[in-house]
Amino acid sequence: MLSQPRPSLSRRGFLVAGASAGAVLGLASGPARAGTRPPRPFGRYGSPAARLTPKTLYVHPGGAGDFTTVRDAVAAASGSGYTLVIAPGVYRQTVAVDPARTEMTWIGASEEPRDVVIVYDNAAGTPKPGGGTHGTTGSATTTVQADGFTARWITFANDWLRADHPDITGTQAVALKVQGDRSAFHHCRFLGHQDTLYADSMALGTFARQYFAHCYAEGDVDFVFGRATAVFEHCHFRTLNRTDLPAAPYGFVFAPSTAGANPLGYLVTRSRVSSEAPDGHFKLARPWVPSSDTTARPMLTVRDTHLGPGIDAVAPYTNMASGHPWQSMRFAEYRNTGPGAVVSVPENRPQLTRAQAASHTRQTYLGDWRPCA
């Protein structure tokens, strides 16, 4: 399980602190000591002089690769099947992978997600240069629309902060919006506050399968949300403290918006939820029924997962809109543990039977796709 950022650092301060490790990993130039090997910024993944495959591209902020930005490397990877090997660094930019760039893989070269950070600071209410505002989707630091995308050992972040922009009311600030089918994230981090990880699909009638393994996501309001069929396995979700609110709830971990026709929504299994906030100040989930799909029937199953004391055990679910009560949605739990999982009011915590739980597995949700093989 990934170790976690220190609560005492702000989001932006933490990213800067993490980047300071870059000198050890070859970001900062300096004379090599006698008898030591020169730094290998791409680790075991080759280099431009020893390219693993013709479709392997190397990104290095100091110029030791094919490109200095992830965005430029993506633009050059026209077609299917490219791999980006990304050297340690903080890449402050927005990046978009369009539907034509299928079967793309991004690899954090050091195999430590803290070392490779893709970050920007747009929010939904941030003004656009040509007028208007970005909206939730437009706030995303990284957007992935292509099928078959895989990322390993990378941090996706949005470091926009409410306190810095008291004049902006659209405070959604997405770190990653992923819409493609067969999208996999291994040992990645997703950092933000509101709407951090947008696990979605390209269209209402498109069911996109996504897999998150050994990942870390943090935030406060609806920070894992969308209509994808998504499996979160061995992941850690951490709720952040709020000093701008006088009372609970401070926020909600999940806000699925599963289409009514989709039999499978979010599955969280063998994971954990922790909190920086006081005990009981966060809800586990609320259903998102967007105005663009009033027939949505959000689905979330949380099973075999440790729920820390930050979750309100008495009433872990709540409504987002009064016309769409959570009780009419597809929320369920099975065999969870921890103080946030204690069932004191049974009607507030729908539980699967053992027979029902047998159909809520990674294999059932992902079908013939095997991202963990």
Side-chain angles (χ1 to χ4, degrees):
M1 196 69 67
L2 298 174
S3 57
Q4 306 313 328
R6 297 176 181 175
S8 59
L9 289 176
S10 70
R11 170 65 46 249
R12 192 166 291 122
F14 169 67
L15 291 171
V16 172
S20 67
V24 179
L25 297 161
L27 285 179
S29 60
R33 290 178 295 175
T36 63
R37 292 184 178 183
R40 298 175 59 196
F42 302 110
R44 61 189 178 97
Y45 297 100
S47 68
R51 202 174 301 275
L52 295 186
T53 71
K55 286 191 172 183
T56 301
L57 304 178
Y58 296 88
V59 184
H60 187 283
D66 300 307
F67 303 94
T68 58
T69 71
V70 178
R71 180 192 292 167
D72 287 346
V74 170
S78 57
S80 181
Y82 277 85
T83 296
L84 272 56
V85 179
I86 307 172
V90 175
Y91 298 86
R92 179 163 286 278
Q93 58 196 247
T94 58
V95 185
V97 181
D98 64 45
R101 290 169 164 80
T102 58
E103 313 303 327
M104 179 178 282
T105 298
W106 293 4
I107 298 173
S110 70
E111 301 184 19
E112 164 52 61
R114 282 175 173 73
D115 296 337
V116 177
V117 179
I118 303 171
V119 59
Y120 208 71
D121 60 349
N122 281 330
T126 301
K128 294 193 295 186
T133 57
H134 284 283
T136 300
T137 290
S139 74
T141 297
T142 302
T143 302
V144 178
Q145 297 181 322
D147 292 343
F149 180 87
T150 299
R152 297 178 184 272
W153 304 297
I154 293 174
T155 293
F156 299 88
N158 189 318
D159 62 355
W160 189 90
L161 299 173
R162 298 183 186 96
D164 294 346
H165 305 276
D167 55 316
I168 291 180
T169 56
T171 56
Q172 302 88 344
V174 178
L176 171 73
K177 179 171 185 177
V178 54
Q179 298 173 278
D181 185 38
R182 295 178 293 105
S183 301
F185 298 83
H186 302 267
H187 301 278
C188 289
R189 299 189 310 158
F190 309 97
L191 309 182
H193 284 267
Q194 183 172 351
D195 292 8
T196 304
L197 173 56
Y198 196 169
D200 204 48
S201 70
M202 284 294 290
L204 178 59
T206 302
F207 302 158
R209 295 165 296 174
Q210 298 167 7
Y211 181 62
F212 301 81
H214 302 279
C215 289
Y216 171 82
E218 68 176 30
D220 46 42
V221 178
D222 305 330
F223 64 93
V224 181
F225 72 113
R227 65 173 173 238
T229 294
V231 175
F232 302 88
E233 190 167 36
H234 298 294
C235 289
H236 182 177
F237 305 92
R238 186 161 179 83
T239 60
L240 300 177
N241 202 7
R242 299 283 300 270
T243 59
D244 57 320
L245 295 179
Y250 281 3
F252 322 88
V253 182
F254 302 100
S257 58
T258 322
N262 190 349
L264 300 168
Y266 285 1
L267 171 65
V268 179
T269 179
R270 293 187 287 179
S271 296
R272 63 178 170 134
V273 179
S274 67
S275 183
E276 293 179 6
D279 292 357
H281 273 54
F282 270 84
K283 303 291 187 180
L284 185 60
R286 62 179 182 172
W288 177 31
V289 179
S291 59
S292 58
D293 178 21
T294 57
T295 65
R297 194 159 172 252
M299 180 178 182
L300 168 70
T301 298
V302 181
R303 61 170 300 171
D304 301 294
T305 289
H306 183 88
L307 305 180
I311 296 299
D312 179 358
V314 175
Y317 306 107
T318 190
N319 301 336
M320 186 177 292
S322 59
H324 304 286
W326 73 264
Q327 293 89 344
S328 66
M329 305 304 170
R330 295 174 284 178
F331 285 2
E333 300 178 57
Y334 180 68
R335 229 164 42 181
N336 293 324
T337 60
V342 173
V343 180
S344 58
V345 183
E347 59 268 31
N348 287 348
R349 308 205 73 148
Q351 302 290 314
L352 298 175
T353 65
R354 183 176 181 181
Q356 290 170 331
S359 63
H360 292 268
T361 65
R362 180 208 329 134
Q363 294 82 359
T364 301
Y365 276 57
L366 301 184
D368 60 357
W369 177 44
R370 297 289 184 267
C372 51

